[in-house]
Amino acid sequence: MRSRVRQEQSAQSVIYQKQIDALASGCFRDPFIFLGAHKSGPTSYEIRCFLPGASSVSVLLGTEKIVAQQQGDSHLFVANIKSKTKPDYQLDVSYSNEFTHQQYDEYSFESSLDEQAMYLFNEGSLEHAYQHFGAHFVTQQGVDGVRFTVWAPNASSVSVIGEFNYWQRNRHFMRFHPASGVWELFIPGLKEHQCYKFAITTLTGEVLDKADPFAFKMQQAPGTASVLQKLKTGIQLSERALANRAKRNSVDAPVSIYEVHAGSWQRRDDGERYLTWRELADNLIPYTKELGFTHLQLMPISEYPFDGSWGYQPVGLFAPTSRYGSFEDFVYFVEQCHEADIGLILDWVPGHFPSDPHGLHRFDGTHLYEHADVRQGFHPDWNTYIYNYDRAEVRSFLIANAMYWLHEFGIDGLRVDAVASMLYLDYSREEGQWVANQYGGRENLGAIECLKQVNMRCYAKNPGIMMVAEESTAWPGVTRQVDHDGLGFGYKWNMGWMNDSLHYMQRDSLYRSHHHHEMTFSMVYAYSENYILPLSHDEVVHGKGSLIEKMPGDDWQKFANLRAYYAFMWAHPGKKLLFMGAEIAQRKEWNHDQSLDWHLLEHISHSGMQQTIKDLNAVYTSTPALYEQDTSPAGFAWLDSNNAEQSMFSFIRYAKKAEDFVVVICNLTPQVYHDYVIGVPKAGTYQVILNTDKADYFGSGVDATSHAEQIIVSQAIESHGFNQSISVSLPGLATIYLKKVSDES
């Protein structure tokens, strides 16, 4: 009798040999056609389970237990049951180590894929793709588990591998949906923080272990796995918070941004340990607030494997880096920014991705996320891959990522990195190394459309945010609305102002008169875009030195130059951005592996620089003339733009109320000028509200006026086109601000 049973089992295993071989090899395209419960007769079902390592399997039907027969020496177990309808069952699995486990069969669950969402994904318009793709804790058919979903249309087989199945790629084969190119599987009973990947078998038989592109958490390098993480955000901003955000980010608001690399602002344990998100919340946010900055901008915090990329080569676009703590810790940091009324901007990198084997490159064995042609899909400067913006699913991926940070965390905005590299097909390429668009031009039409869609959708669904472009060319209409043929950004970094003004400031004062135009040229195009004036991390790396060391002269002159330059910047039309360390005049070039040199604050030269920034922000944020009309010619007027001989710049900033204005005078030579006459628009009493030569700042202490309260009364003497003027003392290498505090008596 036993011999006959073995013969029947052996015969049955021969029937299933093709499937057994495919399952054992880890390559099975449609597991639901074979595994699970399948009708075998009018009143019978056959339940097939492939369970590597199992010694015996039984099917549990309520209180009934039916032993499944092992097919030969394979890992396939088959049970025949009497039933007219598809049975509801569990499995009782025993292993060779005598461990017995009761579980649900993954192949007994119906698909929960949202077909409408997949249609939008394939169309390029699925704004919340992260809610459908990746790993999500859900309840399906009354059972708790995780639904895995991944786009890999050209794979021959995809499996979920992880700690929960000993990384076996022949255990959890996924269901393929040919219409959308998406694979999906529900696995019951999984726990948060378990590691996983997708094992993708290509059409050529190659096996690629890939991290989840939509993972909310990833291992810190050198680990490469994704980590199961519940999406616990959905930060709901109150009506008041939304109103504050809109007001804070408006073009007529004071915007002063402190740019920070979270890993090197401060460190603990003699510089060996990063601050955690919670420590950053307790230290960085109060510091930002104390110095008067309105916004905090973090360099990229999406998970990235290589520290030296500073986050600009991310692999986990949806995962806050675990370098600084847990997902929940990052949520806490964001909430504390909201509590402190500090706008939070994140650096976002949609321009390229690295070649790490667990990343997006050749994701399903084909060039899925990147262009196949290296002339379009490879960045020669950075050895990275360029997204294929023409592909609709890639657009959905990037749109959803931007929406994720804004919607789920209530972030104030995104600073989009390297926009110029996205816009131009010939960016950093020689003739013959790039492919023209369909009209023969150099514009990347797919990238342009992607950026437009990102901006339109982000602004429409997240009112009051700010989208910022780091765009280094003269591309027209970067901050123009999309329906007016613009890219739809809210702000653009003014790289021209930064380059010109830094070149000027680096020159010895003896030679500045020959380059006067470098400080005035920016006003020719100041209103062509909504600008942010950036002194960013890019200016203090790769051998460029720190800002203080760019300044000419002896140590006193270096500090005086930098203070005067900052005050010129804060008075110039455009919002402000300053990279960390510049506020304390860090002497060394920025090093991402070290903390800032906070010990420098023991010296008045450095503490004076910090106080200058604090006072600049206080004056700036309390003086509408310095910010209300940044984007309007009515907000600025030169008093004297032609005084090259004395390297002097003077101008007026106007608020929306014309009677509210500030007079700004910059003397960028060491020469002190007494009784310097400057025209003013109105008769009255003027007060010096800022003087960068104050002794408290490490200045020489030359007062603009001899009056103790730093006030000056205008005289009816014509100057600079006005009927009224004032006479001031101008310190060397200094900038002063004057404001009318009362009318003529």
Side-chain angles (χ1 to χ4, degrees):
M1 181 67 178
R2 288 181 181 176
S3 175
R4 190 174 69 185
V5 169
R6 287 195 190 96
Q7 289 174 357
E8 290 175 354
Q9 291 175 2
S10 178
Q12 187 77 347
S13 67
V14 170
I15 295 172
Y16 293 140
Q17 194 59 51
K18 183 179 179 181
Q19 290 88 344
I20 290 171
D21 290 344
L23 290 166
S25 69
C27 182
F28 206 92
R29 188 171 181 82
D30 197 348
F32 283 84
I33 281 183
F34 181 70
L35 297 177
H38 295 271
K39 202 169 185 65
S40 57
T43 60
S44 64
Y45 274 83
E46 188 172 83
I47 296 176
R48 309 180 195 120
C49 311
F50 190 79
L51 296 167
S55 57
S56 66
V57 177
S58 296
V59 175
L60 304 178
L61 295 170
T63 58
E64 187 180 2
K65 186 173 184 179
I66 300 168
V67 176
Q69 302 301 316
Q70 186 173 4
Q71 303 302 297
D73 58 357
S74 75
H75 302 299
L76 180 66
F77 295 82
V78 178
N80 290 286
I81 62 173
K82 298 293 183 182
S83 178
K84 292 182 180 180
T85 59
K86 196 169 186 178
D88 183 12
Y89 65 95
Q90 292 188 49
L91 302 176
D92 191 65
V93 185
S94 296
Y95 294 89
S96 55
N97 59 3
E98 299 183 358
F99 172 72
T100 300
H101 176 61
Q102 187 171 313
Q103 64 184 59
Y104 288 95
D105 182 2
E106 295 81 5
Y107 301 100
S108 67
F109 292 90
E110 300 297 325
S111 172
S112 63
L113 201 67
D114 186 327
E115 295 297 338
Q116 177 62 23
M118 295 305 103
Y119 174 82
L120 295 176
F121 177 71
N122 294 137
E123 183 186 65
S125 60
L126 185 58
E127 296 176 352
H128 299 290
Y130 60 88
Q131 295 178 349
H132 300 274
F133 287 84
H136 290 270
F137 286 86
V138 297
T139 300
Q140 195 161 327
Q141 294 166 224
V143 178
D144 293 335
V146 174
R147 182 190 67 230
F148 295 89
T149 312
V150 65
W151 177 55
N154 305 304
S156 63
S157 177
V158 181
S159 301
V160 182
I161 57 176
E163 295 175 321
F164 40 84
N165 63 15
Y166 302 99
W167 304 95
Q168 298 177 99
R169 59 188 178 90
N170 58 0
R171 176 64 184 86
H172 288 113
F173 297 95
M174 302 182 77
R175 172 195 278 118
F176 184 52
H177 296 264
S180 58
V182 171
W183 302 76
E184 163 249 354
L185 183 68
F186 174 76
I187 302 179
L190 300 188
K191 305 297 182 184
E192 219 176 355
H193 309 309
Q194 289 181 303
C195 294
Y196 72 99
K197 282 185 177 181
F198 295 114
I200 298 175
T201 304
T202 72
L203 294 174
T204 61
E206 181 183 6
V207 179
L208 306 173
D209 289 352
K210 292 291 188 177
D212 181 357
F214 287 88
F216 299 132
K217 186 176 181 180
M218 293 188 68
Q219 284 185 316
Q220 188 176 338
T224 59
S226 304
V227 181
L228 293 178
Q229 170 69 56
K230 292 180 180 178
L231 184 58
K232 303 172 183 174
T233 54
I235 294 175
Q236 298 297 314
L237 298 179
S238 65
E239 289 296 322
R240 179 174 173 273
L242 287 170
N244 285 345
R245 181 171 74 178
K247 181 179 178 181
R248 183 169 58 233
N249 298 332
S250 172
V251 293
D252 61 1
V255 175
S256 182
I257 304 167
Y258 187 48
E259 185 192 19
V260 168
H261 177 257
S264 59
W265 180 71
Q266 282 185 4
R267 290 201 173 187
R268 292 286 187 267
D269 304 332
D270 295 325
E272 294 298 318
R273 181 176 71 78
Y274 297 126
L275 293 186
T276 66
W277 286 122
R278 291 181 181 272
E279 288 172 326
L280 285 164
D282 295 342
N283 294 274
L284 174 58
I285 294 173
Y287 179 79
T288 304
K289 191 79 172 177
E290 180 187 356
L291 262 62
F293 289 100
T294 61
H295 291 69
L296 180 62
Q297 179 173 310
L298 296 180
M299 290 168 69
I301 56 92
S302 295
E303 193 62 80
Y304 54 100
F306 176 48
D307 282 358
S309 77
W310 314 328
Y312 289 101
Q313 294 190 14
V315 169
L317 276 182
F318 291 84
T321 178
S322 57
R323 285 167 173 80
Y324 315 123
S326 69
F327 185 94
E328 292 78 10
D329 291 337
F330 177 69
V331 172
Y332 174 81
F333 176 83
V334 175
E335 290 174 337
Q336 293 309 299
C337 286
H338 293 162
E339 284 290 320
D341 197 25
I342 291 288
L344 181 60
I345 303 167
L346 298 184
D347 235 329
W348 187 51
V349 188
H352 61 139
F353 57 87
S355 59
D356 297 75
H358 63 290
L360 296 179
H361 175 51
R362 291 186 66 245
F363 188 77
D364 64 356
T366 68
H367 298 282
L368 190 62
Y369 283 87
E370 73 275 16
H371 275 280
D373 191 327
V374 294
R375 296 172 298 172
Q376 296 174 280
F378 184 73
H379 246 310
D381 288 353
W382 305 318
N383 292 321
T384 55
Y385 293 94
I386 302 169
Y387 287 101
N388 184 350
Y389 304 104
D390 295 316
R391 181 163 282 159
E393 293 87 353
V394 172
R395 291 199 300 275
S396 282
F397 175 73
L398 293 173
I399 290 168
N401 187 242
M403 292 287 286
Y404 168 73
W405 296 106
L406 296 167
H407 178 75
E408 296 296 332
F409 297 95
I411 302 296
D412 270 58
L414 300 175
R415 176 266 193 187
V416 184
D417 179 61
V419 171
S421 75
M422 299 172 65
L423 296 175
Y424 298 98
L425 293 166
D426 63 345
Y427 181 86
S428 196
R429 295 179 189 272
E430 300 296 330
E431 190 66 34
Q433 295 180 351
W434 60 281
V435 180
N437 64 34
Q438 65 194 66
Y439 304 108
R442 59 199 283 253
E443 300 81 11
N444 189 330
L445 303 179
I448 293 166
E449 181 59 27
C450 183
L451 288 171
K452 288 180 177 181
Q453 290 295 324
V454 165
N455 287 326
M456 278 196 306
R457 293 172 184 276
C458 286
Y459 273 113
K461 299 297 173 65
N462 305 279
I465 61 163
M466 61 193 301
M467 299 293 288
V468 182
E470 187 222 3
E471 202 285 304
S472 55
T473 73
W475 185 278
V478 172
T479 59
R480 195 185 305 144
Q481 291 184 353
V482 171
D483 56 4
H484 287 75
D485 201 29
L487 292 182
F489 284 95
Y491 293 98
K492 171 182 172 173
W493 276 19
N494 193 336
M495 310 295 280
W497 171 87
M498 178 273 297
N499 281 309
D500 288 347
S501 62
L502 268 181
H503 285 160
Y504 178 90
M505 293 303 301
Q506 286 177 272
R507 301 181 192 279
D508 190 284
S509 58
L510 287 173
Y511 307 109
R512 285 175 174 170
S513 61
H514 303 294
H515 302 274
H516 198 72
H517 65 283
E518 291 181 332
M519 294 290 270
T520 60
F521 181 68
S522 58
M523 290 312 303
V524 172
Y525 60 87
Y527 313 112
S528 61
E529 303 279 5
N530 302 333
Y531 282 118
I532 291 174
L533 311 182
L535 291 176
S536 73
H537 67 276
D538 279 329
E539 313 323 315
V540 294
V541 292
H542 301 319
K544 297 176 185 176
S546 65
L547 290 184
I548 190 66
E549 294 303 335
K550 293 180 194 292
M551 299 296 112
D554 59 23
D555 217 40
W556 184 89
Q557 288 185 335
K558 286 179 182 293
F559 281 87
N561 268 305
L562 190 54
R563 292 193 305 271
Y565 179 43
Y566 285 159
F568 172 80
M569 171 183 174
W570 256 250
H572 189 287
K575 311 309 179 186
K576 326 301 173 191
L577 180 141
L578 191 66
F579 183 56
M580 65 178 200
E583 82 280 9
I584 63 171
Q586 170 105 359
R587 290 187 181 271
K588 293 188 300 187
E589 184 176 272
W590 172 57
N591 184 340
H592 70 273
D593 280 330
Q594 296 177 2
S595 171
L596 296 180
D597 292 333
W598 294 103
H599 64 274
L600 293 174
L601 290 174
E602 298 170 5
H603 307 281
I604 186 174
S605 54
H606 296 276
S607 62
M609 189 67 71
Q610 186 186 57
Q611 188 62 44
T612 302
I613 293 297
K614 184 175 181 179
D615 291 351
L616 272 172
N617 278 330
V619 170
Y620 171 65
T621 55
S622 63
T623 309
L626 293 175
Y627 61 79
E628 272 192 344
Q629 300 202 87
D630 276 337
T631 60
S632 169
F636 179 93
W638 283 111
L639 283 169
D640 191 349
S641 63
N642 298 314
N643 192 351
E645 183 179 350
Q646 294 177 304
S647 297
M648 197 86 69
F649 305 88
S650 54
F651 53 88
I652 301 173
R653 293 298 312 275
Y654 289 97
K656 291 178 179 178
K657 294 179 180 178
E659 64 272 17
D660 185 0
F661 58 88
V662 172
V663 176
V664 179
I665 311 171
C666 304
N667 174 17
L668 296 179
T669 70
Q671 178 67 45
V672 177
Y673 295 96
H674 295 290
D675 301 320
Y676 187 87
V677 176
I678 193 83
V680 291
K682 300 285 185 181
T685 301
Y686 288 75
Q687 184 174 36
V688 177
I689 58 174
L690 185 95
N691 178 357
T692 63
D693 194 49
K694 279 177 60 175
D696 291 348
Y697 297 157
F698 187 55
S700 61
V702 173
D703 287 332
T705 172
S706 58
H707 197 284
E709 295 182 3
Q710 292 292 288
I711 58 173
I712 309 167
V713 179
S714 69
Q715 303 294 318
I717 300 173
E718 290 187 15
S719 183
H720 297 92
F722 294 111
N723 294 326
Q724 293 284 318
S725 63
I726 56 176
S727 177
V728 297
S729 293
L730 294 182
L733 299 176
T735 298
I736 64 172
Y737 298 173
L738 300 108
K739 185 177 182 181
K740 186 168 69 69
V741 291
S742 65
D743 294 328
E744 184 180 26
S745 56

Coordinates of all heavy atoms in Angstrom, one line a residue, residues 617-669:
N617 N 19.7 90.1 10.4 CA 18.4 89.4 10.3 C 17.3 90.2 11.1 O 16.2 90.3 10.6 CB 18.5 88.0 10.8 CG 19.0 87.0 9.8 OD1 18.8 87.2 8.6 ND2 19.7 86.0 10.2
A618 N 17.7 90.7 12.2 CA 16.7 91.5 13.0 C 16.2 92.7 12.3 O 15.0 93.1 12.2 CB 17.3 91.9 14.3
V619 N 17.2 93.5 11.7 CA 16.8 94.7 10.9 C 16.1 94.3 9.7 O 15.0 94.9 9.3 CB 18.1 95.4 10.5 CG1 17.8 96.6 9.5 CG2 18.8 96.0 11.8
Y620 N 16.5 93.2 9.0 CA 15.9 92.8 7.7 C 14.4 92.4 8.0 O 13.5 92.9 7.3 CB 16.7 91.7 7.2 CG 16.1 90.9 6.0 CD1 15.9 91.5 4.8 CD2 15.7 89.6 6.1 CE1 15.3 90.9 3.7 CE2 15.2 88.9 5.0 CZ 15.0 89.5 3.8 OH 14.4 88.9 2.8
T621 N 14.2 91.6 8.9 CA 12.8 91.0 9.1 C 11.9 92.1 9.7 O 10.6 91.9 9.6 CB 12.8 89.8 10.0 OG1 13.5 90.1 11.3 CG2 13.6 88.6 9.4
S622 N 12.4 93.1 10.3 CA 11.5 94.2 10.9 C 11.4 95.4 10.0 O 10.8 96.4 10.4 CB 12.1 94.6 12.2 OG 13.4 95.1 12.1
T623 N 12.0 95.4 8.8 CA 12.0 96.6 7.9 C 11.5 96.2 6.6 O 12.2 95.7 5.7 CB 13.5 97.1 7.8 OG1 14.1 97.2 9.1 CG2 13.5 98.4 7.0
P624 N 10.2 96.5 6.3 CA 9.5 96.1 5.1 C 10.2 96.6 3.8 O 10.2 96.0 2.8 CB 8.1 96.7 5.2 CG 7.9 96.7 6.7 CD 9.2 97.0 7.3
A625 N 10.9 97.7 3.9 CA 11.6 98.3 2.8 C 12.7 97.4 2.2 O 13.0 97.4 1.1 CB 12.2 99.6 3.1
L626 N 13.2 96.5 3.1 CA 14.3 95.6 2.7 C 13.8 94.3 2.0 O 14.6 93.5 1.6 CB 15.2 95.3 3.9 CG 16.0 96.4 4.5 CD1 16.7 96.0 5.7 CD2 16.9 97.0 3.4
Y627 N 12.4 94.1 2.0 CA 12.0 92.8 1.5 C 10.7 92.9 0.7 O 10.4 92.0 -0.2 CB 11.8 91.7 2.6 CG 10.9 92.1 3.7 CD1 9.5 91.9 3.5 CD2 11.3 92.5 4.9 CE1 8.6 92.2 4.5 CE2 10.4 92.8 5.9 CZ 9.1 92.7 5.7 OH 8.2 93.0 6.7
E628 N 9.8 93.9 1.0 CA 8.5 93.8 0.4 C 8.5 93.9 -1.1 O 7.6 93.3 -1.8 CB 7.6 95.0 1.0 CG 6.9 94.7 2.2 CD 5.9 95.7 2.6 OE1 5.9 96.9 2.0 OE2 5.1 95.4 3.5
Q629 N 9.4 94.6 -1.7 CA 9.3 94.8 -3.2 C 10.6 94.3 -3.8 O 11.1 94.9 -4.7 CB 9.2 96.3 -3.5 CG 7.9 96.9 -2.9 CD 7.5 98.2 -3.7 OE1 6.8 98.1 -4.7 NE2 7.9 99.3 -3.2
D630 N 11.0 93.1 -3.4 CA 12.2 92.5 -4.0 C 12.0 92.2 -5.5 O 13.0 92.2 -6.3 CB 12.4 91.1 -3.3 CG 13.3 91.3 -2.1 OD1 14.0 92.3 -1.9 OD2 13.2 90.3 -1.2
T631 N 10.7 92.0 -5.9 CA 10.5 91.6 -7.3 C 10.0 92.8 -8.2 O 9.5 92.6 -9.3 CB 9.5 90.4 -7.4 OG1 8.3 90.8 -6.8 CG2 10.1 89.2 -6.7
S632 N 10.0 94.0 -7.6 CA 9.5 95.2 -8.3 C 10.5 96.3 -8.4 O 11.2 96.6 -7.5 CB 8.2 95.7 -7.6 OG 7.8 96.9 -8.1
P633 N 10.6 96.9 -9.6 CA 11.5 98.0 -9.8 C 11.2 99.2 -8.8 O 12.1 100.0 -8.5 CB 11.4 98.4 -11.2 CG 10.8 97.2 -11.9 CD 10.0 96.5 -10.9
A634 N 10.0 99.2 -8.3 CA 9.6 100.3 -7.4 C 10.3 100.2 -6.1 O 10.3 101.1 -5.3 CB 8.1 100.3 -7.2
G635 N 10.9 99.0 -5.8 CA 11.5 98.8 -4.5 C 12.9 99.2 -4.4 O 13.5 99.0 -3.3
F636 N 13.5 99.7 -5.5 CA 15.0 100.0 -5.5 C 15.2 101.2 -6.4 O 14.7 101.4 -7.4 CB 15.7 98.8 -6.0 CG 17.2 99.0 -6.1 CD1 18.0 98.5 -5.1 CD2 17.8 99.5 -7.2 CE1 19.4 98.7 -5.1 CE2 19.2 99.7 -7.3 CZ 20.0 99.3 -6.2
A637 N 16.2 102.0 -5.9 CA 16.7 103.1 -6.7 C 18.1 103.4 -6.3 O 18.5 103.5 -5.1 CB 15.8 104.4 -6.5
W638 N 18.9 103.5 -7.3 CA 20.3 103.9 -7.1 C 20.4 105.3 -6.7 O 19.8 106.2 -7.2 CB 21.2 103.7 -8.4 CG 21.6 102.3 -8.7 CD1 21.1 101.6 -9.8 CD2 22.5 101.5 -8.1 NE1 21.7 100.4 -9.8 CE2 22.6 100.3 -8.8 CE3 23.3 101.7 -6.9 CZ2 23.4 99.2 -8.4 CZ3 24.1 100.6 -6.5 CH2 24.1 99.4 -7.2
L639 N 21.2 105.6 -5.6 CA 21.6 107.0 -5.3 C 22.9 107.3 -6.2 O 22.9 108.3 -6.8 CB 21.9 107.1 -3.8 CG 20.7 107.3 -2.9 CD1 21.1 107.1 -1.5 CD2 19.9 108.6 -3.2
D640 N 23.8 106.4 -6.1 CA 25.0 106.6 -6.9 C 25.6 105.2 -7.2 O 26.1 104.5 -6.3 CB 26.1 107.4 -6.1 CG 27.2 107.8 -7.0 OD1 27.4 107.3 -8.1 OD2 28.0 108.6 -6.5
S641 N 25.5 104.8 -8.5 CA 26.0 103.5 -8.9 C 27.3 103.7 -9.7 O 27.9 102.7 -10.1 CB 25.0 102.8 -9.8 OG 24.7 103.6 -11.0
N642 N 27.8 104.9 -9.8 CA 28.9 105.2 -10.7 C 30.2 105.6 -10.0 O 31.1 106.0 -10.6 CB 28.5 106.2 -11.7 CG 27.4 105.8 -12.6 OD1 27.4 104.6 -13.1 ND2 26.4 106.6 -12.8
N643 N 30.2 105.5 -8.6 CA 31.3 106.0 -7.9 C 32.4 104.9 -7.8 O 32.7 104.4 -6.7 CB 30.9 106.5 -6.5 CG 32.0 107.2 -5.8 OD1 33.1 107.3 -6.2 ND2 31.7 107.8 -4.6
A644 N 32.9 104.6 -9.0 CA 33.9 103.5 -9.0 C 35.2 104.0 -8.4 O 35.9 103.2 -7.8 CB 34.2 103.1 -10.5
E645 N 35.5 105.3 -8.5 CA 36.8 105.8 -8.0 C 37.0 105.5 -6.5 O 38.0 105.1 -6.0 CB 36.9 107.2 -8.3 CG 38.3 107.8 -7.8 CD 38.4 109.3 -8.2 OE1 37.5 109.8 -8.9 OE2 39.3 109.9 -7.7
Q646 N 35.9 105.7 -5.8 CA 35.9 105.4 -4.3 C 35.4 104.0 -3.9 O 35.3 103.7 -2.8 CB 35.1 106.5 -3.6 CG 35.7 107.9 -3.7 CD 34.9 109.0 -3.0 OE1 33.7 109.1 -3.3 NE2 35.4 109.7 -2.1
S647 N 35.0 103.2 -4.9 CA 34.4 101.9 -4.7 C 33.2 102.0 -3.7 O 33.1 101.3 -2.7 CB 35.4 100.9 -4.1 OG 36.4 100.7 -5.1
M648 N 32.4 103.0 -4.0 CA 31.2 103.3 -3.2 C 29.9 103.0 -3.9 O 29.8 103.2 -5.1 CB 31.2 104.8 -2.9 CG 30.4 105.2 -1.7 SD 31.3 105.1 -0.1 CE 32.5 106.4 -0.3
F649 N 29.0 102.4 -3.2 CA 27.7 102.0 -3.7 C 26.6 102.6 -2.7 O 26.7 102.3 -1.5 CB 27.5 100.5 -3.8 CG 28.6 99.8 -4.6 CD1 29.8 99.4 -4.0 CD2 28.5 99.7 -6.0 CE1 30.8 98.8 -4.7 CE2 29.5 99.0 -6.7 CZ 30.6 98.6 -6.1
S650 N 25.7 103.3 -3.3 CA 24.6 103.8 -2.4 C 23.3 103.7 -3.2 O 23.2 103.9 -4.4 CB 24.9 105.3 -2.0 OG 25.1 106.1 -3.2
F651 N 22.3 103.3 -2.4 CA 20.9 103.1 -3.0 C 19.9 103.2 -2.0 O 20.2 103.2 -0.8 CB 20.9 101.7 -3.8 CG 21.3 100.5 -3.0 CD1 20.4 99.8 -2.2 CD2 22.6 100.1 -3.0 CE1 20.7 98.7 -1.4 CE2 23.0 99.0 -2.3 CZ 22.1 98.3 -1.5
I652 N 18.6 103.2 -2.4 CA 17.5 103.3 -1.5 C 16.6 102.0 -1.8 O 16.4 101.6 -2.9 CB 16.6 104.5 -1.8 CG1 17.5 105.8 -1.6 CG2 15.4 104.6 -0.9 CD1 16.8 107.1 -2.0
R653 N 16.1 101.4 -0.7 CA 15.1 100.4 -0.8 C 13.8 100.9 -0.2 O 13.8 101.5 0.8 CB 15.6 99.1 0.1 CG 16.8 98.4 -0.4 CD 16.6 97.8 -1.8 NE 15.3 97.1 -2.0 CZ 15.2 95.8 -1.6 NH1 16.2 95.1 -1.1 NH2 14.0 95.2 -1.8
Y654 N 12.8 100.7 -1.0 CA 11.4 101.2 -0.7 C 10.5 100.1 -0.3 O 10.5 99.0 -0.9 CB 10.8 102.0 -1.9 CG 11.5 103.3 -2.2 CD1 12.5 103.4 -3.2 CD2 11.1 104.5 -1.6 CE1 13.0 104.6 -3.5 CE2 11.7 105.7 -1.9 CZ 12.7 105.7 -2.9 OH 13.2 106.9 -3.2
A655 N 9.7 100.4 0.7 CA 8.6 99.5 1.0 C 7.4 99.8 0.1 O 7.4 100.7 -0.8 CB 8.2 99.6 2.5
K656 N 6.3 99.1 0.2 CA 5.1 99.3 -0.6 C 4.6 100.7 -0.3 O 4.0 101.4 -1.1 CB 4.0 98.3 -0.3 CG 4.4 96.9 -0.9 CD 3.4 95.8 -0.7 CE 3.8 94.5 -1.3 NZ 2.8 93.4 -1.0
K657 N 4.7 101.1 1.0 CA 4.4 102.5 1.4 C 5.6 103.4 1.0 O 6.7 103.2 1.7 CB 4.1 102.6 2.9 CG 2.8 101.9 3.3 CD 2.6 102.0 4.8 CE 1.3 101.3 5.2 NZ 1.1 101.4 6.7
A658 N 5.5 104.2 0.1 CA 6.7 104.9 -0.5 C 7.4 105.7 0.6 O 8.6 106.0 0.5 CB 6.3 105.8 -1.6
E659 N 6.7 106.2 1.6 CA 7.4 107.0 2.7 C 8.2 106.1 3.6 O 9.0 106.6 4.4 CB 6.3 107.7 3.5 CG 5.4 106.9 4.3 CD 4.1 106.5 3.5 OE1 4.1 106.6 2.3 OE2 3.2 106.0 4.2
D660 N 8.1 104.8 3.4 CA 8.9 103.9 4.2 C 10.1 103.4 3.4 O 9.9 102.6 2.4 CB 8.1 102.7 4.7 CG 8.8 101.7 5.6 OD1 10.0 102.0 5.9 OD2 8.2 100.7 6.0
F661 N 11.3 103.8 3.7 CA 12.5 103.5 2.9 C 13.7 103.4 3.7 O 13.7 103.9 4.9 CB 12.7 104.5 1.7 CG 12.8 105.9 2.2 CD1 14.1 106.4 2.5 CD2 11.7 106.8 2.3 CE1 14.3 107.7 2.9 CE2 11.9 108.1 2.8 CZ 13.2 108.6 3.1
V662 N 14.8 102.8 3.2 CA 16.0 102.7 3.8 C 17.1 103.1 2.9 O 17.1 102.8 1.7 CB 16.3 101.2 4.3 CG1 17.7 101.0 4.8 CG2 15.3 100.8 5.3
V663 N 18.0 103.9 3.4 CA 19.2 104.4 2.6 C 20.4 103.5 3.0 O 20.7 103.2 4.1 CB 19.5 105.8 2.9 CG1 20.8 106.3 2.2 CG2 18.4 106.8 2.5
V664 N 21.0 102.9 1.9 CA 22.1 102.0 2.1 C 23.4 102.6 1.5 O 23.4 103.0 0.3 CB 21.8 100.6 1.5 CG1 23.0 99.7 1.7 CG2 20.6 100.1 2.1
I665 N 24.5 102.6 2.2 CA 25.8 103.1 1.7 C 26.8 102.1 2.0 O 27.0 101.7 3.1 CB 26.2 104.5 2.3 CG1 25.0 105.5 2.3 CG2 27.4 105.0 1.6 CD1 25.3 106.7 3.0
C666 N 27.5 101.6 0.9 CA 28.6 100.7 1.1 C 29.9 101.3 0.7 O 30.1 101.8 -0.4 CB 28.4 99.5 0.2 SG 26.9 98.6 0.4
N667 N 30.9 101.4 1.6 CA 32.2 101.9 1.3 C 33.2 100.7 1.3 O 33.5 100.1 2.4 CB 32.6 102.9 2.4 CG 34.1 103.3 2.2 OD1 34.7 103.2 1.1 ND2 34.6 103.9 3.3
L668 N 33.6 100.3 0.1 CA 34.4 99.1 0.0 C 35.9 99.3 -0.2 O 36.6 98.6 -0.9 CB 33.8 98.2 -1.1 CG 32.4 97.7 -0.7 CD1 31.8 96.8 -1.8 CD2 32.4 96.9 0.6
T669 N 36.4 100.4 0.4 CA 37.8 100.7 0.5 C 38.1 100.9 2.0 O 37.2 101.2 2.8 CB 38.2 101.9 -0.3 OG1 37.7 103.1 0.3 CG2 37.8 101.8 -1.7

